[in-house]
Amino acid sequence: MDKNLRWRILFPAVLLFVLSIPALEAVPNLRIERVPRKITDNKTATAKVLLEWPQAEGPYEINATEPALENLSMVRQSQSLETGALVCHTIIYEFRPLGAGKARVLPFEVSYRSSDAAPWVPLLVPEQDLDVVSSVPGKIIWISVWIAAGIAFSVVAGLLIAKTLQRREVAKKIVPPDPKQRIYAKAQEAIATFSSTDPKERLGYFASQLRTVAGAYYDLPSEAMTEPAFLALLKKKGLPAAEWAEVSGLFEQLEQMRFSRKDLTPYELERTQKTLLQYIQGKIIMGKPD
């Protein structure tokens, strides 16, 4: 047979085989039973994420993350496994509305892997929207809203006036400005702008900045010290119970997240970052302790 003719016959067959290889790879099939389109504010909404695969493929390890929510709170998250010719791993999320209006379950990932040595493979669960309607008459809602708005406006206005007067009084007494304020502001900017893609590196950086702020605030050395040694020294200061619980709780939270075996979500990192920024902002406003 002519060589050119043989190549023309074999080439399409080889190309079709190569292109079909990815399709032959077995992966869990993702199915989603989404939340209802509409619920009342006194009911809960349930969403299910199901991963199915033939039992012959062997076991898979599943890692389910908690989604970020808008106008919803997480009631519970549970998992179940049904085996047979087809294995079905079900993840159930139950949400409670926070109020009437639009609500969303933001996109999140469910990951799987075939062994401890294998990499995690993410599967995207798309966004789910629902409308939350009130379970009481609309007129009562509007009356309550206006009353609540009036009370809230009065409270907020009073707090703003009181805070403005307090800041003026504090400003009069601070001559010269506390030099530690520069340390707090620098740490605040560092945490807000640090942009590593490695979650563990970010958490380690956050912890070092928190130690710098707490060290300056309580007049403790923060460099060349381990966190346990730093906390032990800080505890000897005899802080009030609430104040000690706040600062030690921040260190403990960062430590647990840094050495957690589960993958951290962007939502968890952002929430931790905001908590630290709020803590430092409090030190900027209050100045040094009595």
Side-chain angles (χ1 to χ4, degrees), residues 197-256:
T197 57
D198 183 351
K200 304 299 184 182
E201 184 180 0
R202 288 182 67 184
L203 292 170
Y205 187 77
F206 290 171
S208 68
Q209 294 299 320
L210 175 61
R211 194 162 62 246
T212 297
V213 170
Y217 189 73
Y218 295 109
D219 296 316
L220 294 174
S222 61
E223 298 179 356
M225 287 186 67
T226 63
E227 287 183 12
F230 179 83
L231 287 173
L233 199 58
L234 180 60
K235 192 169 186 180
K236 292 181 180 179
K237 285 280 187 176
L239 305 182
E243 192 172 347
W244 165 251
E246 179 185 28
V247 65
S248 63
L250 289 173
F251 280 107
E252 182 179 353
Q253 178 183 353
L254 289 170
E255 185 76 5
Q256 290 176 351

Side-chain angles (χ1 to χ4, degrees), residues 20-22 29 33-34 60 71 109 113 125 158 220 234 244 259 289:
S20 66
I21 289 176
N29 177 49
E33 295 182 9
R34 54 159 289 121
Y60 284 101
N71 198 29
E109 292 179 349
R113 65 181 180 182
V125 179
L220 294 174
L234 180 60
W244 165 251
F259 296 100

Side-chain angles (χ1 to χ4, degrees), residues 72-89:
L72 295 170
S73 64
M74 177 76 75
V75 177
R76 66 179 58 88
Q77 175 182 334
S78 61
Q79 300 186 42
S80 64
L81 184 67
E82 296 180 13
T83 59
L86 189 67
V87 180
C88 181
H89 188 110

Side-chain angles (χ1 to χ4, degrees), residues 48-186:
K48 293 183 179 180
V49 178
L50 301 96
L51 291 94
E52 299 173 332
W53 65 90
Q55 189 179 39
E57 292 180 16
Y60 284 101
E61 182 180 357
I62 307 299
N63 180 38
T65 59
E66 181 177 327
L69 307 171
E70 291 185 2
N71 198 29
L72 295 170
S73 64
M74 177 76 75
V75 177
R76 66 179 58 88
Q77 175 182 334
S78 61
Q79 300 186 42
S80 64
L81 184 67
E82 296 180 13
T83 59
L86 189 67
V87 180
C88 181
H89 188 110
T90 303
I91 308 165
I92 302 175
Y93 299 90
E94 187 175 354
F95 310 107
R96 176 178 289 114
L98 299 179
K102 298 291 183 181
R104 289 198 301 165
V105 180
L106 298 179
F108 64 99
E109 292 179 349
V110 174
S111 302
Y112 71 90
R113 65 181 180 182
S114 57
S115 66
D116 291 342
W120 287 103
V121 179
L123 296 173
L124 179 65
V125 179
E127 178 180 306
Q128 302 178 57
D129 302 320
L130 65 156
D131 293 319
V132 181
V133 296
S134 176
S135 57
V136 297
K139 187 174 182 180
I140 297 178
I141 294 178
W142 280 110
I143 293 175
S144 301
V145 168
W146 281 108
I147 293 175
I151 295 174
F153 178 80
S154 301
V155 172
V156 171
L159 289 174
L160 289 175
I161 292 173
K163 186 173 285 189
T164 300
L165 294 175
Q166 181 183 16
R167 287 179 176 175
R168 288 179 180 176
E169 290 299 320
V170 171
K172 291 178 182 178
K173 298 177 181 179
I174 302 178
V175 182
D178 182 4
K180 294 181 180 180
Q181 294 295 313
R182 181 174 183 141
I183 298 176
Y184 307 149
K186 187 176 179 181

